[in-house]
Amino acid sequence: MKTLDLSYVSDNWSDIVHRAWQHAVLAGLPLLIGLAIALPLGWWARRSTRLRPFLIGGAGLLYTIPSLALLIVMPVILGTKILSPWNVIVAMTLYTLALLVRTVADGLSAVPGDVEQAATAMGYTPVKRFFGVDLPLAIPVIAGGLRVAAVSNVSIVSVASLLGVSQLGYYITNGYQRSYSIEVWVGIIGCLVLALLFDLIIQLVSRALTPWLRVRGAS
Amino acid sequence: MIRFEQVVKTFPDGTTAVDHLSLEAPTGKITVLVGPSGCGKTTSLRMINRMIDPTGGRILIDDQDVMDVDAPKLRRGIGYVIQHAGLFPHRTVADNVATVPLLLGTPKAEAKERAHEVLELVGLPGDFADRYPAQLSGGQQQRVGVARALAADPPVMLMDEPFSAVDPVVRDQLQDEFLRLQSELGKTIVFVTHDIDEAIKLGDQVAVMRVGGKLAQLAEPAYLLAHPIDDFVSDFIGRDRGYRALSFTESPRLPLAPEPSVALGATVDEARAATGDDWLLVVADGRPQGWIEPERITAPIEQGMLHRGGTVATEHGPLRAALDAALSSPSRRGVIVDDDGKLLGTVRAHQVLSAIERADRPEVHEEDIAPTESVGEAAP
């Protein structure tokens, strides 16, 4: 095997950083949008025993749609141009939802019953209770789901290079066509680093939001 | 005053949890709902603050039907304490306590100040305020639970088995402090428990409920012990009720005998000279400390040498304490002290028993055949 020629990396460094940034936006923005939609849906699924199977099952079903098919169908549904990044963002939001609706419902279920009961008895309205009590206590579970969704998003976004939407997947497909292994490695390692970065950020934010979990135990 | 008028709760599955319950919880008093599991006591409690809505009848708080008040607003005016305290694990003790004042729109600084005041009231010093609930013991969490319920100074408090998840020693302590607090605050309290001893200790009146959500008997504790209305109530009250009823009978003037005593630090010779009996009482600063056997000691008296089995009763305390002092004393002489804890003398069991025989038992209410009728008498 030939020694790897790292000059490709240094020669294309600004291009790599640029595509990494695009990749981060295409994977990260849907995480935020998906979370914002999953919160009310998860809350709803938790409250209504009748709707729960539909909401969670339906959301889960989204994940079984092949990513390539979903990306190709998006412009038809949305009426966008084939190269529009919104195709990717909407598709990734759907995948995020598929994972997070269940996670949010699970996280809310993990709030201890006596705590919920006490909150209601103190005179919390349902909305205030959601943001003041249920959501903060569900953070650890929701963060766990977000970590899975983040890694999954980073990996699925690379498929979008087949449609010509610019991101790190480009190096994988392009390198493969040219049989240029270092370029393929740039794509793979770039995705890996990005996924680890997302994971780290979510963990740090989750830690910062849950100071009560790190106090020393009961005396 | 909280009034239940023919209240019914039937759940969607057809079970009736509360069946035409009528009773009054008088203002400033503790009303205890007690009964076996499935008697509807918790359901009844939760209908007061609309955690559960009744399917029939009415519940009135000071003549206002609770169903006419917006539920969250109603609840902010009613303190609520539950079994495991149900503290918010993500908030500090002070923030937990400030919950209701903040919901009522009290400015943050003021609510925080109020939280510190109430925490002091329940015996949690300042440095607890910034801890999280997980850093507290069960008993401390329960105190925070009580403080949280008291923070907005509600006239009504609902307590659902608040002390049943802590160990017996802590429970006893919490009960005593609760009674002390109540004597200062005079809240209208509805208290649910399955423990008849707790009901009798805490209640100004006790409502015994039977399975199926019916009221069996409503009475003051002493009366309940003396005159259970039927087999269910007498079975539920349990054994020892004659002895337990003595808790409610104040000791008359007991014939006290002077008791020789020596102070801590007394020498062997001093101790032997003080009494001809096998047992000698040791005091410190006039307060009884324990008993010793002068013939068995070989050195000046120290705390570690004392026999501590005997209980001490106060002069005008309940007869139960006086009898217990006599029964538990190794010399068979029960130690009686004044309100400052200073030795007055001793009394023997047969003398306490004579006093018991002369004491009055609560008289039977003529109308006690229909327990709901006696409600009016318990009201202030």
PDB file of all heavy atoms in Angstrom, chain A residues 114-115 117-118 120-124 132 136-137 211-212 215-216 218-219, chain B residues 46 51 72 75-76 80 82 84 86-87 89-91 132 134-135 148:
ATOM      1  N   ASP A 114     -45.246  11.148  41.895  1.00  0.00           N
ATOM      2  CA  ASP A 114     -45.571  12.033  43.021  1.00  0.00           C
ATOM      3  C   ASP A 114     -45.128  13.467  42.753  1.00  0.00           C
ATOM      4  O   ASP A 114     -45.733  14.409  43.266  1.00  0.00           O
ATOM      5  CB  ASP A 114     -45.010  11.496  44.350  1.00  0.00           C
ATOM      6  CG  ASP A 114     -43.530  11.187  44.280  1.00  0.00           C
ATOM      7  OD1 ASP A 114     -42.973  11.245  43.174  1.00  0.00           O
ATOM      8  OD2 ASP A 114     -42.935  10.884  45.333  1.00  0.00           O
ATOM      9  N   VAL A 115     -44.103  13.627  41.906  1.00  0.00           N
ATOM     10  CA  VAL A 115     -43.652  14.975  41.559  1.00  0.00           C
ATOM     11  C   VAL A 115     -44.700  15.652  40.662  1.00  0.00           C
ATOM     12  O   VAL A 115     -45.080  16.802  40.886  1.00  0.00           O
ATOM     13  CB  VAL A 115     -42.280  14.937  40.845  1.00  0.00           C
ATOM     14  CG1 VAL A 115     -41.896  16.311  40.329  1.00  0.00           C
ATOM     15  CG2 VAL A 115     -41.216  14.412  41.794  1.00  0.00           C
ATOM     16  N   GLN A 117     -47.825  14.900  40.497  1.00  0.00           N
ATOM     17  CA  GLN A 117     -49.017  15.108  41.309  1.00  0.00           C
ATOM     18  C   GLN A 117     -48.867  16.358  42.185  1.00  0.00           C
ATOM     19  O   GLN A 117     -49.777  17.186  42.278  1.00  0.00           O
ATOM     20  CB  GLN A 117     -49.189  13.871  42.188  1.00  0.00           C
ATOM     21  CG  GLN A 117     -50.571  13.705  42.738  1.00  0.00           C
ATOM     22  CD  GLN A 117     -50.521  12.759  43.916  1.00  0.00           C
ATOM     23  OE1 GLN A 117     -50.622  13.175  45.053  1.00  0.00           O
ATOM     24  NE2 GLN A 117     -50.362  11.469  43.648  1.00  0.00           N
ATOM     25  N   ALA A 118     -47.679  16.474  42.798  1.00  0.00           N
ATOM     26  CA  ALA A 118     -47.429  17.635  43.655  1.00  0.00           C
ATOM     27  C   ALA A 118     -47.511  18.917  42.833  1.00  0.00           C
ATOM     28  O   ALA A 118     -48.106  19.901  43.270  1.00  0.00           O
ATOM     29  CB  ALA A 118     -46.065  17.514  44.328  1.00  0.00           C
ATOM     30  N   THR A 120     -49.201  19.558  40.104  1.00  0.00           N
ATOM     31  CA  THR A 120     -50.598  19.876  39.810  1.00  0.00           C
ATOM     32  C   THR A 120     -51.291  20.424  41.057  1.00  0.00           C
ATOM     33  O   THR A 120     -52.010  21.417  40.994  1.00  0.00           O
ATOM     34  CB  THR A 120     -51.324  18.623  39.307  1.00  0.00           C
ATOM     35  OG1 THR A 120     -50.605  18.111  38.187  1.00  0.00           O
ATOM     36  CG2 THR A 120     -52.740  18.941  38.874  1.00  0.00           C
ATOM     37  N   ALA A 121     -51.025  19.776  42.189  1.00  0.00           N
ATOM     38  CA  ALA A 121     -51.688  20.195  43.427  1.00  0.00           C
ATOM     39  C   ALA A 121     -51.220  21.564  43.909  1.00  0.00           C
ATOM     40  O   ALA A 121     -51.922  22.238  44.649  1.00  0.00           O
ATOM     41  CB  ALA A 121     -51.459  19.151  44.522  1.00  0.00           C
ATOM     42  N   MET A 122     -50.004  21.970  43.508  1.00  0.00           N
ATOM     43  CA  MET A 122     -49.523  23.308  43.881  1.00  0.00           C
ATOM     44  C   MET A 122     -50.260  24.387  43.099  1.00  0.00           C
ATOM     45  O   MET A 122     -50.194  25.556  43.443  1.00  0.00           O
ATOM     46  CB  MET A 122     -48.029  23.461  43.568  1.00  0.00           C
ATOM     47  CG  MET A 122     -47.075  22.541  44.288  1.00  0.00           C
ATOM     48  SD  MET A 122     -46.873  22.950  46.004  1.00  0.00           S
ATOM     49  CE  MET A 122     -47.614  21.504  46.727  1.00  0.00           C
ATOM     50  N   GLY A 123     -50.902  23.992  41.985  1.00  0.00           N
ATOM     51  CA  GLY A 123     -51.627  24.967  41.189  1.00  0.00           C
ATOM     52  C   GLY A 123     -50.945  25.329  39.881  1.00  0.00           C
ATOM     53  O   GLY A 123     -51.189  26.401  39.331  1.00  0.00           O
ATOM     54  N   TYR A 124     -50.075  24.437  39.388  1.00  0.00           N
ATOM     55  CA  TYR A 124     -49.507  24.651  38.051  1.00  0.00           C
ATOM     56  C   TYR A 124     -50.584  24.448  36.995  1.00  0.00           C
ATOM     57  O   TYR A 124     -51.348  23.489  37.070  1.00  0.00           O
ATOM     58  CB  TYR A 124     -48.387  23.644  37.782  1.00  0.00           C
ATOM     59  CG  TYR A 124     -47.021  24.089  38.236  1.00  0.00           C
ATOM     60  CD1 TYR A 124     -46.500  23.649  39.436  1.00  0.00           C
ATOM     61  CD2 TYR A 124     -46.257  24.951  37.447  1.00  0.00           C
ATOM     62  CE1 TYR A 124     -45.241  24.059  39.858  1.00  0.00           C
ATOM     63  CE2 TYR A 124     -45.008  25.357  37.859  1.00  0.00           C
ATOM     64  CZ  TYR A 124     -44.504  24.909  39.069  1.00  0.00           C
ATOM     65  OH  TYR A 124     -43.265  25.324  39.469  1.00  0.00           O
ATOM     66  N   GLY A 132     -42.039  24.029  33.406  1.00  0.00           N
ATOM     67  CA  GLY A 132     -41.415  24.251  34.704  1.00  0.00           C
ATOM     68  C   GLY A 132     -40.962  22.977  35.400  1.00  0.00           C
ATOM     69  O   GLY A 132     -40.006  22.999  36.171  1.00  0.00           O
ATOM     70  N   PRO A 136     -37.838  19.960  32.281  1.00  0.00           N
ATOM     71  CA  PRO A 136     -36.496  19.908  32.893  1.00  0.00           C
ATOM     72  C   PRO A 136     -36.135  18.506  33.378  1.00  0.00           C
ATOM     73  O   PRO A 136     -34.995  18.076  33.224  1.00  0.00           O
ATOM     74  CB  PRO A 136     -36.610  20.875  34.083  1.00  0.00           C
ATOM     75  CG  PRO A 136     -37.739  21.775  33.774  1.00  0.00           C
ATOM     76  CD  PRO A 136     -38.679  21.012  32.888  1.00  0.00           C
ATOM     77  N   LEU A 137     -37.112  17.795  33.943  1.00  0.00           N
ATOM     78  CA  LEU A 137     -36.807  16.465  34.479  1.00  0.00           C
ATOM     79  C   LEU A 137     -36.632  15.439  33.366  1.00  0.00           C
ATOM     80  O   LEU A 137     -36.028  14.391  33.576  1.00  0.00           O
ATOM     81  CB  LEU A 137     -37.914  16.019  35.444  1.00  0.00           C
ATOM     82  CG  LEU A 137     -37.967  16.821  36.745  1.00  0.00           C
ATOM     83  CD1 LEU A 137     -39.137  16.395  37.604  1.00  0.00           C
ATOM     84  CD2 LEU A 137     -36.663  16.667  37.522  1.00  0.00           C
ATOM     85  N   PRO A 211     -27.945  20.619  36.750  1.00  0.00           N
ATOM     86  CA  PRO A 211     -26.962  20.659  37.850  1.00  0.00           C
ATOM     87  C   PRO A 211     -27.359  19.759  39.035  1.00  0.00           C
ATOM     88  O   PRO A 211     -26.501  19.300  39.759  1.00  0.00           O
ATOM     89  CB  PRO A 211     -26.959  22.135  38.263  1.00  0.00           C
ATOM     90  CG  PRO A 211     -28.268  22.677  37.808  1.00  0.00           C
ATOM     91  CD  PRO A 211     -28.599  21.924  36.556  1.00  0.00           C
ATOM     92  N   TRP A 212     -28.670  19.495  39.188  1.00  0.00           N
ATOM     93  CA  TRP A 212     -29.114  18.719  40.362  1.00  0.00           C
ATOM     94  C   TRP A 212     -28.687  17.261  40.293  1.00  0.00           C
ATOM     95  O   TRP A 212     -28.722  16.559  41.295  1.00  0.00           O
ATOM     96  CB  TRP A 212     -30.628  18.807  40.521  1.00  0.00           C
ATOM     97  CG  TRP A 212     -31.390  18.149  39.399  1.00  0.00           C
ATOM     98  CD1 TRP A 212     -31.819  16.857  39.357  1.00  0.00           C
ATOM     99  CD2 TRP A 212     -31.805  18.753  38.182  1.00  0.00           C
ATOM    100  NE1 TRP A 212     -32.473  16.628  38.180  1.00  0.00           N
ATOM    101  CE2 TRP A 212     -32.487  17.756  37.439  1.00  0.00           C
ATOM    102  CE3 TRP A 212     -31.694  20.035  37.647  1.00  0.00           C
ATOM    103  CZ2 TRP A 212     -33.029  18.017  36.182  1.00  0.00           C
ATOM    104  CZ3 TRP A 212     -32.239  20.276  36.400  1.00  0.00           C
ATOM    105  CH2 TRP A 212     -32.881  19.281  35.689  1.00  0.00           C
ATOM    106  N   VAL A 215     -25.046  16.557  42.388  1.00  0.00           N
ATOM    107  CA  VAL A 215     -24.757  16.897  43.782  1.00  0.00           C
ATOM    108  C   VAL A 215     -24.440  15.608  44.526  1.00  0.00           C
ATOM    109  O   VAL A 215     -24.877  14.536  44.126  1.00  0.00           O
ATOM    110  CB  VAL A 215     -25.969  17.599  44.435  1.00  0.00           C
ATOM    111  CG1 VAL A 215     -26.159  18.956  43.817  1.00  0.00           C
ATOM    112  CG2 VAL A 215     -27.224  16.758  44.332  1.00  0.00           C
ATOM    113  N   ARG A 216     -23.682  15.735  45.594  1.00  0.00           N
ATOM    114  CA  ARG A 216     -23.349  14.513  46.335  1.00  0.00           C
ATOM    115  C   ARG A 216     -24.631  13.951  46.962  1.00  0.00           C
ATOM    116  O   ARG A 216     -25.566  14.680  47.278  1.00  0.00           O
ATOM    117  CB  ARG A 216     -22.270  14.799  47.383  1.00  0.00           C
ATOM    118  CG  ARG A 216     -22.802  15.490  48.578  1.00  0.00           C
ATOM    119  CD  ARG A 216     -21.748  15.933  49.551  1.00  0.00           C
ATOM    120  NE  ARG A 216     -22.329  16.938  50.406  1.00  0.00           N
ATOM    121  CZ  ARG A 216     -23.199  16.653  51.372  1.00  0.00           C
ATOM    122  NH1 ARG A 216     -23.540  15.403  51.603  1.00  0.00           N
ATOM    123  NH2 ARG A 216     -23.724  17.614  52.105  1.00  0.00           N
ATOM    124  N   ALA A 218     -27.565  11.793  49.231  1.00  0.00           N
ATOM    125  CA  ALA A 218     -28.230  12.141  50.488  1.00  0.00           C
ATOM    126  C   ALA A 218     -27.318  11.850  51.675  1.00  0.00           C
ATOM    127  O   ALA A 218     -26.605  10.859  51.693  1.00  0.00           O
ATOM    128  CB  ALA A 218     -29.525  11.360  50.609  1.00  0.00           C
ATOM    129  N   SER A 219     -27.319  12.754  52.633  1.00  0.00           N
ATOM    130  CA  SER A 219     -26.450  12.575  53.807  1.00  0.00           C
ATOM    131  C   SER A 219     -27.095  11.619  54.792  1.00  0.00           C
ATOM    132  O   SER A 219     -28.284  11.426  54.788  1.00  0.00           O
ATOM    133  CB  SER A 219     -26.223  13.920  54.475  1.00  0.00           C
ATOM    134  OG  SER A 219     -27.426  14.604  54.652  1.00  0.00           O
TER     135      SER A 219
ATOM    136  N   ARG B  46     -58.616  14.236  47.710  1.00  0.00           N
ATOM    137  CA  ARG B  46     -58.261  14.844  46.425  1.00  0.00           C
ATOM    138  C   ARG B  46     -59.431  15.533  45.745  1.00  0.00           C
ATOM    139  O   ARG B  46     -59.228  16.296  44.801  1.00  0.00           O
ATOM    140  CB  ARG B  46     -57.699  13.787  45.491  1.00  0.00           C
ATOM    141  CG  ARG B  46     -56.351  13.301  45.932  1.00  0.00           C
ATOM    142  CD  ARG B  46     -55.773  12.471  44.844  1.00  0.00           C
ATOM    143  NE  ARG B  46     -54.563  11.812  45.279  1.00  0.00           N
ATOM    144  CZ  ARG B  46     -53.892  10.981  44.507  1.00  0.00           C
ATOM    145  NH1 ARG B  46     -54.332  10.725  43.297  1.00  0.00           N
ATOM    146  NH2 ARG B  46     -52.804  10.410  44.934  1.00  0.00           N
ATOM    147  N   MET B  51     -58.214  17.513  42.426  1.00  0.00           N
ATOM    148  CA  MET B  51     -57.335  16.591  41.716  1.00  0.00           C
ATOM    149  C   MET B  51     -58.225  15.504  41.114  1.00  0.00           C
ATOM    150  O   MET B  51     -57.886  14.883  40.113  1.00  0.00           O
ATOM    151  CB  MET B  51     -56.337  15.954  42.674  1.00  0.00           C
ATOM    152  CG  MET B  51     -55.434  16.945  43.391  1.00  0.00           C
ATOM    153  SD  MET B  51     -54.144  17.598  42.342  1.00  0.00           S
ATOM    154  CE  MET B  51     -53.031  16.200  42.331  1.00  0.00           C
ATOM    155  N   PRO B  72     -56.591  25.345  38.941  1.00  0.00           N
ATOM    156  CA  PRO B  72     -55.267  25.800  39.385  1.00  0.00           C
ATOM    157  C   PRO B  72     -55.338  26.921  40.423  1.00  0.00           C
ATOM    158  O   PRO B  72     -54.557  26.948  41.369  1.00  0.00           O
ATOM    159  CB  PRO B  72     -54.618  26.301  38.086  1.00  0.00           C
ATOM    160  CG  PRO B  72     -55.309  25.557  37.007  1.00  0.00           C
ATOM    161  CD  PRO B  72     -56.723  25.393  37.484  1.00  0.00           C
ATOM    162  N   ARG B  75     -56.242  25.470  43.800  1.00  0.00           N
ATOM    163  CA  ARG B  75     -55.148  24.708  44.403  1.00  0.00           C
ATOM    164  C   ARG B  75     -54.073  25.602  45.006  1.00  0.00           C
ATOM    165  O   ARG B  75     -53.416  25.228  45.960  1.00  0.00           O
ATOM    166  CB  ARG B  75     -54.523  23.790  43.343  1.00  0.00           C
ATOM    167  CG  ARG B  75     -55.468  22.677  42.921  1.00  0.00           C
ATOM    168  CD  ARG B  75     -54.940  21.945  41.708  1.00  0.00           C
ATOM    169  NE  ARG B  75     -55.943  21.001  41.212  1.00  0.00           N
ATOM    170  CZ  ARG B  75     -56.054  20.662  39.935  1.00  0.00           C
ATOM    171  NH1 ARG B  75     -55.242  21.179  39.039  1.00  0.00           N
ATOM    172  NH2 ARG B  75     -56.983  19.806  39.565  1.00  0.00           N
ATOM    173  N   ARG B  76     -53.885  26.800  44.413  1.00  0.00           N
ATOM    174  CA  ARG B  76     -52.864  27.697  44.962  1.00  0.00           C
ATOM    175  C   ARG B  76     -53.261  28.199  46.336  1.00  0.00           C
ATOM    176  O   ARG B  76     -52.419  28.690  47.085  1.00  0.00           O
ATOM    177  CB  ARG B  76     -52.640  28.878  44.015  1.00  0.00           C
ATOM    178  CG  ARG B  76     -51.896  28.451  42.765  1.00  0.00           C
ATOM    179  CD  ARG B  76     -51.862  29.532  41.703  1.00  0.00           C
ATOM    180  NE  ARG B  76     -51.587  28.937  40.404  1.00  0.00           N
ATOM    181  CZ  ARG B  76     -51.637  29.595  39.258  1.00  0.00           C
ATOM    182  NH1 ARG B  76     -51.954  30.872  39.241  1.00  0.00           N
ATOM    183  NH2 ARG B  76     -51.385  28.967  38.133  1.00  0.00           N
ATOM    184  N   TYR B  80     -50.695  21.422  50.182  1.00  0.00           N
ATOM    185  CA  TYR B  80     -50.843  19.994  49.880  1.00  0.00           C
ATOM    186  C   TYR B  80     -49.542  19.282  50.205  1.00  0.00           C
ATOM    187  O   TYR B  80     -48.478  19.668  49.718  1.00  0.00           O
ATOM    188  CB  TYR B  80     -51.197  19.845  48.400  1.00  0.00           C
ATOM    189  CG  TYR B  80     -51.614  18.470  47.952  1.00  0.00           C
ATOM    190  CD1 TYR B  80     -52.865  17.958  48.300  1.00  0.00           C
ATOM    191  CD2 TYR B  80     -50.779  17.688  47.160  1.00  0.00           C
ATOM    192  CE1 TYR B  80     -53.260  16.709  47.866  1.00  0.00           C
ATOM    193  CE2 TYR B  80     -51.173  16.431  46.728  1.00  0.00           C
ATOM    194  CZ  TYR B  80     -52.427  15.946  47.079  1.00  0.00           C
ATOM    195  OH  TYR B  80     -52.804  14.705  46.649  1.00  0.00           O
ATOM    196  N   ILE B  82     -47.770  15.331  50.462  1.00  0.00           N
ATOM    197  CA  ILE B  82     -47.994  13.922  50.162  1.00  0.00           C
ATOM    198  C   ILE B  82     -46.907  13.037  50.753  1.00  0.00           C
ATOM    199  O   ILE B  82     -45.913  13.524  51.284  1.00  0.00           O
ATOM    200  CB  ILE B  82     -48.112  13.670  48.648  1.00  0.00           C
ATOM    201  CG1 ILE B  82     -46.918  14.263  47.912  1.00  0.00           C
ATOM    202  CG2 ILE B  82     -49.409  14.218  48.118  1.00  0.00           C
ATOM    203  CD1 ILE B  82     -46.912  13.913  46.437  1.00  0.00           C
ATOM    204  N   HIS B  84     -44.325  10.932  49.886  1.00  0.00           N
ATOM    205  CA  HIS B  84     -42.885  11.027  49.702  1.00  0.00           C
ATOM    206  C   HIS B  84     -42.464  12.473  49.448  1.00  0.00           C
ATOM    207  O   HIS B  84     -41.471  12.725  48.788  1.00  0.00           O
ATOM    208  CB  HIS B  84     -42.421  10.117  48.565  1.00  0.00           C
ATOM    209  CG  HIS B  84     -42.640   8.669  48.863  1.00  0.00           C
ATOM    210  ND1 HIS B  84     -41.779   7.944  49.631  1.00  0.00           N
ATOM    211  CD2 HIS B  84     -43.649   7.837  48.537  1.00  0.00           C
ATOM    212  CE1 HIS B  84     -42.237   6.711  49.765  1.00  0.00           C
ATOM    213  NE2 HIS B  84     -43.372   6.620  49.105  1.00  0.00           N
ATOM    214  N   GLY B  86     -42.774  14.521  47.369  1.00  0.00           N
ATOM    215  CA  GLY B  86     -42.962  14.932  45.979  1.00  0.00           C
ATOM    216  C   GLY B  86     -42.252  16.229  45.668  1.00  0.00           C
ATOM    217  O   GLY B  86     -42.749  17.059  44.916  1.00  0.00           O
ATOM    218  N   LEU B  87     -41.069  16.405  46.259  1.00  0.00           N
ATOM    219  CA  LEU B  87     -40.316  17.639  45.985  1.00  0.00           C
ATOM    220  C   LEU B  87     -39.831  17.626  44.546  1.00  0.00           C
ATOM    221  O   LEU B  87     -39.624  16.566  43.964  1.00  0.00           O
ATOM    222  CB  LEU B  87     -39.122  17.734  46.936  1.00  0.00           C
ATOM    223  CG  LEU B  87     -39.469  17.800  48.420  1.00  0.00           C
ATOM    224  CD1 LEU B  87     -38.196  17.918  49.247  1.00  0.00           C
ATOM    225  CD2 LEU B  87     -40.400  18.970  48.710  1.00  0.00           C
ATOM    226  N   PRO B  89     -37.141  17.542  42.131  1.00  0.00           N
ATOM    227  CA  PRO B  89     -35.730  17.196  42.305  1.00  0.00           C
ATOM    228  C   PRO B  89     -34.787  18.184  41.629  1.00  0.00           C
ATOM    229  O   PRO B  89     -33.618  18.265  41.990  1.00  0.00           O
ATOM    230  CB  PRO B  89     -35.609  15.810  41.665  1.00  0.00           C
ATOM    231  CG  PRO B  89     -36.844  15.601  40.873  1.00  0.00           C
ATOM    232  CD  PRO B  89     -37.887  16.515  41.401  1.00  0.00           C
ATOM    233  N   HIS B  90     -35.297  18.957  40.650  1.00  0.00           N
ATOM    234  CA  HIS B  90     -34.423  19.858  39.902  1.00  0.00           C
ATOM    235  C   HIS B  90     -34.348  21.247  40.512  1.00  0.00           C
ATOM    236  O   HIS B  90     -33.724  22.132  39.949  1.00  0.00           O
ATOM    237  CB  HIS B  90     -34.877  19.941  38.450  1.00  0.00           C
ATOM    238  CG  HIS B  90     -36.270  20.482  38.280  1.00  0.00           C
ATOM    239  ND1 HIS B  90     -37.369  19.914  38.878  1.00  0.00           N
ATOM    240  CD2 HIS B  90     -36.741  21.537  37.576  1.00  0.00           C
ATOM    241  CE1 HIS B  90     -38.452  20.605  38.545  1.00  0.00           C
ATOM    242  NE2 HIS B  90     -38.097  21.587  37.756  1.00  0.00           N
ATOM    243  N   ARG B  91     -35.021  21.437  41.638  1.00  0.00           N
ATOM    244  CA  ARG B  91     -34.976  22.754  42.253  1.00  0.00           C
ATOM    245  C   ARG B  91     -34.412  22.663  43.660  1.00  0.00           C
ATOM    246  O   ARG B  91     -34.634  21.677  44.354  1.00  0.00           O
ATOM    247  CB  ARG B  91     -36.393  23.341  42.345  1.00  0.00           C
ATOM    248  CG  ARG B  91     -37.012  23.521  40.998  1.00  0.00           C
ATOM    249  CD  ARG B  91     -37.972  24.681  41.025  1.00  0.00           C
ATOM    250  NE  ARG B  91     -38.680  24.705  39.763  1.00  0.00           N
ATOM    251  CZ  ARG B  91     -40.006  24.732  39.672  1.00  0.00           C
ATOM    252  NH1 ARG B  91     -40.734  24.765  40.764  1.00  0.00           N
ATOM    253  NH2 ARG B  91     -40.570  24.748  38.506  1.00  0.00           N
ATOM    254  N   TYR B 132     -30.174  20.491  47.093  1.00  0.00           N
ATOM    255  CA  TYR B 132     -31.206  19.836  46.298  1.00  0.00           C
ATOM    256  C   TYR B 132     -31.861  18.745  47.143  1.00  0.00           C
ATOM    257  O   TYR B 132     -31.237  18.210  48.073  1.00  0.00           O
ATOM    258  CB  TYR B 132     -30.590  19.235  45.035  1.00  0.00           C
ATOM    259  CG  TYR B 132     -30.241  20.271  43.997  1.00  0.00           C
ATOM    260  CD1 TYR B 132     -28.938  20.683  43.803  1.00  0.00           C
ATOM    261  CD2 TYR B 132     -31.246  20.857  43.224  1.00  0.00           C
ATOM    262  CE1 TYR B 132     -28.625  21.654  42.860  1.00  0.00           C
ATOM    263  CE2 TYR B 132     -30.938  21.818  42.279  1.00  0.00           C
ATOM    264  CZ  TYR B 132     -29.630  22.214  42.104  1.00  0.00           C
ATOM    265  OH  TYR B 132     -29.344  23.170  41.166  1.00  0.00           O
ATOM    266  N   ALA B 134     -32.286  15.664  46.775  1.00  0.00           N
ATOM    267  CA  ALA B 134     -31.550  14.407  46.880  1.00  0.00           C
ATOM    268  C   ALA B 134     -30.503  14.439  47.977  1.00  0.00           C
ATOM    269  O   ALA B 134     -30.010  13.398  48.400  1.00  0.00           O
ATOM    270  CB  ALA B 134     -30.882  14.080  45.543  1.00  0.00           C
ATOM    271  N   GLN B 135     -30.165  15.635  48.455  1.00  0.00           N
ATOM    272  CA  GLN B 135     -29.151  15.740  49.502  1.00  0.00           C
ATOM    273  C   GLN B 135     -29.748  15.701  50.899  1.00  0.00           C
ATOM    274  O   GLN B 135     -29.041  15.878  51.877  1.00  0.00           O
ATOM    275  CB  GLN B 135     -28.372  17.049  49.322  1.00  0.00           C
ATOM    276  CG  GLN B 135     -27.558  17.091  48.043  1.00  0.00           C
ATOM    277  CD  GLN B 135     -27.011  18.471  47.772  1.00  0.00           C
ATOM    278  OE1 GLN B 135     -27.751  19.373  47.408  1.00  0.00           O
ATOM    279  NE2 GLN B 135     -25.719  18.645  47.963  1.00  0.00           N
ATOM    280  N   ARG B 148     -43.219  23.849  51.982  1.00  0.00           N
ATOM    281  CA  ARG B 148     -43.718  24.247  50.668  1.00  0.00           C
ATOM    282  C   ARG B 148     -45.225  24.468  50.704  1.00  0.00           C
ATOM    283  O   ARG B 148     -45.747  25.398  50.095  1.00  0.00           O
ATOM    284  CB  ARG B 148     -43.359  23.179  49.627  1.00  0.00           C
ATOM    285  CG  ARG B 148     -43.738  23.543  48.215  1.00  0.00           C
ATOM    286  CD  ARG B 148     -43.231  22.557  47.203  1.00  0.00           C
ATOM    287  NE  ARG B 148     -43.800  21.230  47.387  1.00  0.00           N
ATOM    288  CZ  ARG B 148     -43.596  20.215  46.573  1.00  0.00           C
ATOM    289  NH1 ARG B 148     -42.821  20.374  45.516  1.00  0.00           N
ATOM    290  NH2 ARG B 148     -44.140  19.040  46.800  1.00  0.00           N
TER     291      ARG B 148
END
